[in-house]
Amino acid sequence: MTTLTDPPKESFRLSMLLYDSRYRSMTIQIIVLMGFMLGAAWLINNARINLAEAGKPITFGFLWEPSGYDINQRLIDYSSRSTHARAAVVGILNTLLVAVMGCLTATIIGVLIGVLRLSKNWMVSRLAAVYVEGLRNVPVLLWIVLTMAIMAEFMPQPREFRGENPSARMYLFDSVAITNRGVYIPEPKFTNGLGDIPVAMSLRPDQCESYLEGGELADSCGLFQISLDLWLIIAVLLAGIFVAKLNTMRANRIQAATGERPNTLWVNLAVIVLPTLAVLWYLGFYLERPVLKGFNFRGGIHMRNSLIALWLALSLYTGAFIAEIVRAGILAIPKGQSEAAAALGLRQGKIMRLVILPQAWRVIFPPLISQFLNLTKNSSLAIAVGYMDVTGTLGGITLNQTGREMETVLLLMLVYLIISLTVSAVMNAYNKRNALKER
Amino acid sequence: MKKSVFLGALTIAGLAATASMASTLDDVKARGKLNCGVSTGLVGFAAPDANGRWNGFDVAVCRAVAAAVLGDSDAVNFVPTTGKTRFTALASGEVDMLARNTTWTFTRDVDLKFEFVGVNYYDGQGFMVPKSLGVSSAKELDGATVCIQTGTTTELNLADFFRSNNMSYEPVPIETNAEAQQQFLAGACDTLTTDASGLAATRAAFENPDDFVVLPEIISKEPLGPLVRHGDNQWGDIVRWVLNGLISAEELGITSANVDELAKGTNNPEINRMLGTEGNLGEMLGLDKDWLIRAIKVNGNYGEIFEANIGEKTPLGLSRGLNAQWTEGGLIYSPPFR
Ligand SMILES: N[C@@H](CCC(=O)N[C@@H](CS)C(=O)NCC(=O)O)C(=O)O
């Protein structure tokens, strides 16, 4: 045993950093990292010095000045006296709105077309193929502009709805108006509404004075306001769904014990629908219809041309990509699965819904995330149709009116980065939960 | 050690940042072309004709500067800019000067660091509506949908006007005048608002201009003029005095037709100084003595340029009004050449 001695302990020499393969890769990495950091520092410093020299040092003070411009679509209270920061928030909310609407419809379209493209019916599968190839091979900007142009040129003007014998008519019992300025739909309202609650009142305390003294709530009080009516309805709806779940579980237990399943459909429907209806009645729910007043329709919800054009074009375009992802996902499921399901006597539709799609979903999901991120970023093309997303407010008018190119663009990049990272974090967490767990 | 390398890099960066300042005049001469920012197309002010040659009231200023500096009124790259891109184009050095219906305001001058060299058109913001709308005053526009070009003073005046009159409106933000025109004609907005001269130009390009009226209210002051970057005073002086030269030429009766004749010498010392037969004003600017002769020869003096592009005999049909010479009761006034 004693013949085996440790190899003589080599002392560390500087040259080993280069010649010893144990250290070399580390050395290279550190050098590259230092080079990268130096390069970045040079760029940043150069920009800083040049800006200072041009008399435009980087400052963000302009964000708290009044913006001076109006924004047509605002989900929170905003006027030309509000700050640039608030204009940016209005823009961010508009970006999120169109992104969420777009992702939902794109997914629905994508799943539908993806499944249809695999149809055994030649005609149907060809049509789906034409859709996919046609949409995804033309830049989305053109689709957005085309949709906008069609809406502006071919839909009737509001004043064509006027008079004894108007040349344009409203739809659905005079509750929906499609005009070249957008679509007006009825708005849910409450006669005995519970009112709103302002959030973050400290932001603009002066606007909240009368509210704090027990008086009326000004629209401009707080960062934004939440509707108590909406929360109450959602709460009741969720409670109903919870009770329905309990009922279904009870039915499952009885079925397991006795082999006979009590009918759950009617009870479930009743516990979900009836309390909600009661709350709606209590709040005095009604639909406010848009009516033509002066130059435009008033009342109801105004879905502007720009929103519709952007939403439709983005969902149709992204839908084409999602369709391909869905198709790939379905084709990734071995044929044996559907044959086995068929052997069990399941019909085509059920095989798809109960056997194939749930498995394919796992394949589909990761690339779907990146489509959602794409859609969100593509929504910045809003600028082409004048949709006031964050690129339009912060990166458009604010940039231009204040001349703070560097600051606004940095902020803008930060906003998109945060939105994208949040979306992908949430989606990845969901994906992890649902991924196949190998044991 | 690490720290000193870093500091060294910073110093180099600092040097690199300062070394790049050359004079605009030298740049333009070396390039042999003047880069001039104009609008994307506004009949009468700046628009390419059927042969692709740029013409107009603002274009004439670019050409006069090019003639004075380079001796060739065609040595100009016309760079179309929108209301939004124009300032970035100028600040970044993409263009040497802007002549694009641009309003002289405090913030543009002071905060955006530009230098307005003068005013070539005194304007104000107005509204245009289709006659069939039955509106005769801007005060009747409560609730209207308004097409505006973003990145303009128009946008801010509009907000102020409706706010101070307690009226509501729906803004439709648009990038270029061409798109605004299309949306307006399609009836996607009730009214189009911009500088009154711009409205006249837009209306002149319509198929049926008589179906549209410009409302009587003028809601703002819009002194429009050429501008350059802060910090190069020599270049600013050149553009300023070319413009002043065109204006003085009208006042003193120098036209494209008689400038050669007058350049032989007159008994009016100011004309002689302008045309280089007396003194050395051209050299003081860093140019030669014939600079203004060349500038005036291109399209004539201020009055000639006005009449040819936007005056009463053109489809725009703008009268001189505020833009008459001070001697005729207008505001157009050049400091003396001496
Ligand atoms: N004078 C205003 C407005 C300038 C402006 O954008 N004018 C319009 C119409 S008068 C224009 O030149 N449009 C031509 C284009 O879009 O290229 C400003 O400086 O902000």
Side-chain angles (χ1 to χ4, degrees):
Chain A
M1 283 298 263
T2 48
T3 49
L4 267 182
T5 51
D6 281 341
K9 205 150 195 191
E10 217 179 317
S11 66
F12 179 78
R13 274 168 292 113
L14 216 55
S15 61
M16 283 166 66
L17 284 181
L18 211 53
Y19 297 116
D20 189 323
S21 58
R22 281 175 297 174
Y23 302 115
R24 195 190 297 139
S25 73
M26 188 80 99
T27 317
I28 293 176
Q29 287 186 43
I30 288 181
I31 290 177
V32 169
L33 182 68
M34 273 168 67
F36 173 78
M37 293 201 336
L38 276 181
W42 184 82
L43 280 178
I44 293 172
N45 194 52
N46 198 33
R48 200 182 57 78
I49 291 176
N50 273 325
L51 283 172
E53 202 150 87
K56 286 183 169 184
I58 294 195
T59 52
F60 289 92
F62 68 95
L63 283 175
W64 313 112
E65 303 291 329
S67 67
Y69 61 90
D70 283 300
I71 300 177
N72 46 17
Q73 177 179 304
R74 8 172 228 268
L75 299 180
I76 57 173
D77 179 72
Y78 170 89
S79 77
S80 59
R81 301 324 303 157
S82 309
T83 59
H84 282 292
R86 200 170 172 88
V89 175
V90 173
I92 293 174
L93 291 177
N94 286 345
T95 295
L96 291 177
L97 177 72
V98 76
V100 169
M101 286 169 62
C103 288
L104 283 178
T105 22
T107 313
I108 296 174
I109 294 175
V111 172
L112 210 74
I113 299 289
V115 171
L116 288 184
R117 197 166 174 191
L118 290 172
S119 160
K120 296 221 171 58
N121 183 322
W122 186 85
M123 193 68 199
V124 168
S125 76
R126 282 303 89 188
L127 279 180
V130 166
Y131 172 89
V132 168
E133 297 307 336
L135 270 136
R136 69 173 182 165
N137 289 314
V138 174
V140 63
L141 179 62
L142 297 185
W143 288 119
I144 297 175
V145 173
L146 179 75
T147 327
M148 183 70 174
I150 291 177
M151 304 253 312
E153 298 285 341
F154 298 114
M155 301 299 159
Q157 298 180 28
R159 56 185 157 130
E160 288 172 34
F161 289 81
R162 210 187 318 255
E164 281 294 293
N165 258 319
S167 52
R169 291 198 176 278
M170 295 174 71
Y171 300 100
L172 287 179
F173 311 106
D174 279 352
S175 64
V176 174
I178 301 181
T179 75
N180 67 347
R181 294 171 190 180
V183 177
Y184 295 81
I185 55 174
E187 182 180 359
K189 291 242 167 165
F190 305 96
T191 41
N192 311 322
L194 302 175
D196 300 329
I197 290 190
V199 174
M201 274 194 285
S202 51
L203 277 181
R204 286 196 284 179
D206 49 319
Q207 305 288 336
C208 299
E209 262 163 32
S210 81
Y211 176 68
L212 291 175
E213 282 156 17
E216 218 172 88
L217 173 62
D219 282 342
S220 46
C221 170
L223 178 62
F224 60 89
Q225 304 180 347
I226 44 182
S227 153
L228 283 180
D229 307 315
L230 188 66
W231 283 109
L232 183 63
I233 294 169
I234 292 179
V236 171
L237 206 61
L238 286 182
I241 292 175
F242 181 70
V243 175
K245 265 251 165 74
L246 287 184
N247 183 38
T248 310
M249 270 154 62
R250 193 185 75 107
N252 286 349
R253 269 200 312 275
I254 295 179
Q255 185 177 17
T258 65
E260 228 162 281
R261 188 179 179 81
N263 191 333
T264 52
L265 181 67
W266 294 114
V267 180
N268 283 356
L269 264 184
V271 294
I272 295 174
V273 173
L274 289 182
T276 313
L277 281 182
V279 169
L280 286 180
W281 175 80
Y282 169 75
L283 293 173
F285 173 85
Y286 69 99
L287 285 172
E288 186 193 60
R289 288 184 194 177
V291 274
L292 189 60
K293 252 199 210 134
F295 296 99
N296 282 307
F297 281 89
R298 299 263 173 113
I301 297 177
H302 180 191
M303 296 172 60
R304 287 175 181 75
N305 262 353
S306 47
L307 171 66
I308 296 180
L310 192 64
W311 172 39
L312 274 185
L314 284 178
S315 351
L316 291 174
Y317 177 79
T318 314
F321 286 90
I322 295 182
E324 285 298 273
I325 293 173
V326 169
R327 185 170 72 114
I330 293 174
L331 289 179
I333 305 303
K335 222 170 156 54
Q337 292 283 330
S338 52
E339 286 168 355
L344 285 177
L346 289 181
R347 265 180 280 125
Q348 272 299 321
K350 281 203 164 167
I351 295 178
M352 190 49 96
R353 215 154 33 82
L354 299 175
V355 179
I356 307 293
L357 278 183
Q359 299 187 70
W361 187 234
R362 295 205 172 94
V363 183
I364 295 171
F365 201 77
L368 191 63
I369 303 177
S370 78
Q371 286 307 324
F372 285 177
L373 295 179
N374 272 350
L375 189 146
T376 309
K377 284 175 290 170
N378 281 343
S379 74
S380 62
L381 293 170
I383 201 91
V385 285
Y387 179 75
M388 280 294 152
D389 71 338
V390 64
T391 319
T393 61
L394 178 66
I397 306 182
T398 293
L399 182 156
N400 206 257
Q401 300 290 8
T402 62
R404 302 269 156 212
E405 294 97 351
M406 200 69 180
E407 293 87 339
T408 46
V409 171
L410 284 177
L411 279 178
L412 204 58
M413 285 162 64
L414 190 70
V415 167
Y416 280 105
L417 193 68
I418 292 177
I419 296 180
S420 292
L421 288 181
T422 316
V423 171
S424 78
V426 170
M427 302 287 260
N428 281 329
Y430 175 85
N431 189 34
K432 234 188 216 132
R433 261 192 49 202
N434 286 280
L436 266 188
K437 301 198 176 56
E438 308 221 1
R439 277 180 261 260
Chain B
M1 151 70 198
K2 215 170 167 187
K3 202 163 184 181
S4 67
V5 169
F6 189 66
L7 287 182
L10 287 192
T11 344
I12 294 171
L15 288 178
T18 39
S20 64
M21 300 287 272
S23 97
T24 313
L25 178 61
D26 292 342
D27 285 350
V28 172
K29 279 186 175 160
R31 203 188 301 129
K33 282 247 180 187
L34 171 73
N35 290 337
C36 195
V38 292
S39 72
T40 55
L42 189 64
V43 178
F45 284 89
D49 65 12
N51 303 321
R53 191 184 144 84
W54 283 84
N55 274 316
F57 187 72
D58 280 337
V59 166
V61 178
C62 303
R63 290 198 187 280
V65 172
V69 173
L70 299 168
D72 178 2
S73 66
D74 281 324
V76 189
N77 284 327
F78 289 99
V79 180
T81 56
T82 67
K84 277 176 65 177
T85 59
R86 56 184 157 172
F87 297 126
T88 322
L90 182 58
S92 66
E94 188 188 340
V95 297
D96 305 311
M97 59 176 285
L98 264 186
R100 189 205 173 280
N101 313 74
T102 299
T103 307
W104 185 351
T105 68
F106 183 96
T107 45
R108 287 173 179 180
D109 195 332
V110 178
D111 195 31
L112 300 194
K113 312 284 183 216
F114 295 125
E115 186 170 338
F116 286 82
V117 300
V119 175
N120 67 341
Y121 193 96
Y122 287 93
D123 209 343
Q125 182 176 342
F127 293 90
M128 175 159 62
V129 292
K131 268 190 188 146
S132 57
L133 200 64
V135 169
S136 59
S137 154
K139 297 271 170 67
E140 295 166 23
L141 287 174
D142 193 8
T145 303
V146 185
C147 280
I148 33 163
Q149 257 179 281
T150 56
T152 59
T153 48
T154 318
E155 196 165 46
L156 308 179
N157 299 328
L158 183 70
D160 292 351
F161 173 75
F162 275 84
R163 193 174 177 81
S164 56
N165 284 296
N166 253 324
M167 305 194 298
S168 66
Y169 70 107
E170 159 94 14
V172 178
I174 292 167
E175 283 276 294
T176 69
N177 202 51
E179 279 172 68
Q181 192 172 319
Q182 181 199 343
Q183 296 259 1
F184 177 61
L185 286 178
C189 43
D190 297 302
T191 172
L192 178 65
T193 181
T194 183
D195 302 341
S197 65
L199 290 180
T202 311
R203 182 167 169 267
F206 285 171
E207 233 164 81
N208 305 313
D210 292 336
D211 292 351
F212 301 88
V213 281
V214 175
L215 299 177
E217 284 86 354
I218 294 292
I219 64 167
S220 69
K221 290 191 290 189
E222 308 285 336
L224 312 179
L227 57 152
V228 297
R229 278 181 296 280
H230 255 193
D232 188 345
N233 295 347
Q234 183 195 21
W235 180 247
D237 287 344
I238 291 174
V239 182
R240 170 178 303 115
W241 287 96
V242 168
L243 178 63
N244 284 335
L246 299 177
I247 292 173
S248 284
E250 181 184 24
E251 185 187 340
L252 300 173
I254 312 173
T255 65
S256 51
N258 69 10
V259 60
D260 280 330
E261 189 59 36
L262 296 177
K264 292 185 186 133
T266 66
N267 48 21
N268 181 336
E270 183 157 24
I271 296 183
N272 293 349
R273 280 191 298 272
M274 286 170 66
L275 303 185
T277 43
E278 226 179 282
N280 55 351
L281 299 189
E283 281 157 44
M284 292 180 194
L285 277 177
L287 304 174
D288 60 358
K289 69 182 182 49
D290 292 338
W291 63 290
L292 204 49
I293 303 180
R294 291 194 301 269
I296 294 173
K297 261 205 213 154
V298 183
N299 292 301
N301 61 37
Y302 178 85
E304 289 176 85
I305 294 173
F306 194 104
E307 291 312 328
N309 292 296
I310 57 178
E312 270 163 349
K313 295 204 189 68
T314 66
L316 274 74
L318 294 171
S319 61
R320 287 294 288 266
L322 285 179
N323 297 296
Q325 288 283 339
W326 63 287
T327 46
E328 315 269 319
L331 294 175
I332 294 293
Y333 182 108
S334 155
F337 275 75
R338 76 164 59 251

